[in-house]
Amino acid sequence: MKKKLIDDTVPRFVLVGMINTLVGCGTMFLLYNWGHWSYWLSSAANYILGGIVSFFLNKYFTFRQREWAWSEVLRFVVNVAVCYLLAYGIAKPLVIAVLHGQTVSVQENAAMLVGMGLYTCLNYLGQRFFAFRKEN
């Protein structure tokens, strides 16, 4: 099981994630804190922009998939949407419960950070075993 979960794709996924974090996270926090967008809109913008970057970098660099199929694009979009809704849907009420005495801004910024962490774990598994799975 360990060999199936941890292989040479993990460091490449982490590197792509660092690039995605700079692009998407920067977008999310700028839109939320300076643009005064809502929690859901600013975090969604992160994953729309980050998803586009992630698709191409993970497809060609991380998982080294060269063939093109619309079914793969659809699986990727479904994976990103499910991971996003799960991660941010769990993060917000959890952080609000833990930081119940803090301002909404502090709670939502913290929830976005927690959501990012949850999303990253779920997304790796989804991309590896669903979106970019190797066909036998």
Side-chain angles (χ1 to χ4, degrees):
M1 177 86 168
K2 185 178 178 183
K3 276 191 172 193
K4 276 199 157 268
L5 289 177
I6 300 172
D7 66 2
D8 63 340
T9 63
V10 172
R12 290 192 302 264
F13 187 82
V14 169
L15 180 61
V16 168
M18 290 165 49
I19 294 166
N20 261 355
T21 298
L22 292 173
V23 172
C25 186
T27 299
M28 177 174 65
F29 286 112
L30 284 172
L31 291 174
Y32 181 80
N33 291 298
W34 290 351
H36 306 290
W37 287 30
S38 74
Y39 171 85
W40 288 107
L41 286 177
S42 55
S43 62
N46 172 7
Y47 289 98
I48 291 168
L49 180 60
I52 293 166
V53 172
S54 177
F55 177 81
F56 290 102
L57 289 177
N58 280 316
K59 176 178 178 52
Y60 296 110
F61 176 69
T62 303
F63 299 108
R64 300 189 177 177
Q65 301 274 328
R66 299 293 179 236
E67 55 285 334
W68 180 263
W70 283 107
S71 60
E72 188 176 64
V73 174
L74 179 61
R75 285 193 312 266
F76 181 85
V77 169
V78 167
N79 178 65
V80 167
V82 168
C83 292
Y84 167 73
L85 292 171
L86 280 172
Y88 282 79
I90 292 167
K92 189 170 183 180
L94 178 67
V95 170
I96 287 171
V98 171
L99 299 178
H100 63 276
Q102 298 297 316
T103 66
V104 170
S105 178
V106 167
Q107 290 173 342
E108 290 186 342
N109 275 285
M112 287 188 283
L113 286 170
V114 171
M116 285 172 44
L118 289 171
Y119 176 86
T120 299
C121 296
L122 294 169
N123 187 42
Y124 172 75
L125 294 172
Q127 284 192 40
R128 176 143 183 228
F129 296 110
F130 177 65
F132 298 120
R133 71 177 181 257
K134 293 191 188 225
E135 303 292 332
N136 293 333

